[in-house]
Amino acid sequence: RVVLRPLPDRAGPLSFALEYRSAEADTTIGGDLYAVARTDHATRLIVGDVRGKGMASISDTAIVLGAFRAVAHRNIALPELAAYVEDAVRWGLAEFSQGEEDDAERFVTAVMVDIPDDEPVIHVVSCGHPPPLLLHGAGVTALRVREPAPPLGLGVVADSAYVPTTFPFRTADRLVLYTDGFTEARNAEGVFYPLAERVVAWANLASRPLVQRIAADVRRYAGGRLHDDMAMVIAQRDRAPMPQAQ
């Protein structure tokens, strides 16, 4: 709870549902991460995946979350936030590295999202992470950014390297952020889990039952053979954006 704090039920005009599972049977935290922060007029989210497992991945998780929480509440642009997190992650990974070979193998994929209170949009920066899913009514769309950045920790620190892509996000829309523990789970024939199809099939469910249904289904699909951390956050806009007072 110190490193990986529970998500709030609400933040601004949004409500949240979370499903989290560590690959290590005897731990409740792994290399997948999530966090939410409020600015004056927006909500920011990060979902990420540290390469590797075990204690080293927990250390890297703490570095990412510490950097995000330190500045995400400030009224700075999303590219500036991403650059700050990259700089902190690069420094943190180098401090605890065990040589050049270890440096090359350590990085973090992440997606950072800014959701304004007063506009029906979301702004997305992706650092080598699977695309979020936008659930609008009974339809689902993969939100593929125009200019994805490399994973965190690989030395890209300029704000200009992080280019947000803006997507519609209206009242009752839901944003599904997840890690590849879901999409890379395989069945007995080696076929990847069809996450987008499942989200559409159960779109009538409220967010909390939806994440629970998906988590149970992916375990069944893989026959219990799950060897990766899994994290999924659903953010729903519950009320219409309100224009700021002039």
Side-chain angles (χ1 to χ4, degrees):
R1 287 179 176 269
V2 172
V3 175
L4 198 62
R5 303 171 190 168
L7 282 183
D9 293 332
R10 302 196 56 82
L14 307 174
S15 59
F16 301 103
L18 168 71
E19 187 67 29
Y20 186 90
R21 174 191 177 277
S22 172
E24 302 291 334
D26 58 345
T27 66
T28 56
I29 180 174
D32 285 2
L33 59 95
Y34 59 85
V36 61
R38 283 286 298 168
T39 69
D40 290 342
H41 304 292
T43 302
R44 286 174 168 171
L45 286 158
I46 184 172
V47 169
D49 185 355
V50 173
R51 189 184 187 281
K53 300 181 180 67
M55 290 303 297
S57 69
I58 296 173
S59 173
D60 296 347
T61 295
I63 292 170
V64 177
L65 291 176
F68 178 81
R69 290 175 181 139
V71 297
H73 64 282
R74 300 176 184 171
N75 293 315
I76 61 175
L78 193 58
E80 186 179 350
L81 169 61
Y84 179 92
V85 175
E86 159 61 30
D87 187 50
V89 169
R90 184 170 55 92
W91 175 87
L93 297 185
E95 183 182 33
F96 296 105
S97 72
Q98 299 179 11
E100 292 183 4
E101 183 175 346
D102 181 60
D103 290 348
E105 296 296 325
R106 295 175 68 192
F107 55 84
V108 183
T109 70
V111 59
M112 294 178 229
V113 179
D114 186 276
I115 307 175
D117 294 348
D118 58 343
E119 298 178 77
V121 298
I122 54 175
H123 310 293
V124 181
V125 165
S126 179
C127 302
H129 199 76
L133 301 177
L134 176 65
L135 186 57
H136 177 73
V140 66
T141 303
L143 302 184
R144 303 186 186 279
V145 301
R146 291 189 300 272
E147 299 183 48
L152 301 170
L154 297 183
V156 178
V157 295
D159 295 6
S160 59
Y162 303 100
V163 181
T165 302
T166 300
F167 301 94
F169 191 56
R170 303 179 178 90
T171 305
D173 283 357
R174 288 184 280 183
L175 180 68
V176 182
L177 305 168
Y178 58 93
T179 58
D180 62 12
F182 286 92
T183 52
E184 294 187 358
R186 300 171 185 254
N187 63 11
E189 288 73 42
V191 179
F192 290 120
Y193 183 72
L195 177 60
E197 292 179 16
R198 295 297 203 264
V199 169
V200 170
W202 298 320
N204 62 311
L205 296 176
S207 295
R208 183 60 188 152
L210 177 58
V211 294
Q212 292 173 329
R213 176 72 66 86
I214 292 173
D217 187 60
V218 74
R219 286 192 290 269
R220 179 200 59 78
Y221 184 87
R225 301 179 302 273
L226 296 174
H227 307 294
D228 199 2
D229 302 323
M230 297 192 305
M232 177 176 288
V233 175
I234 296 182
Q236 177 170 327
R237 188 187 288 279
D238 292 326
R239 64 176 185 263
M242 299 293 292
Q244 294 184 28
Q246 298 297 318

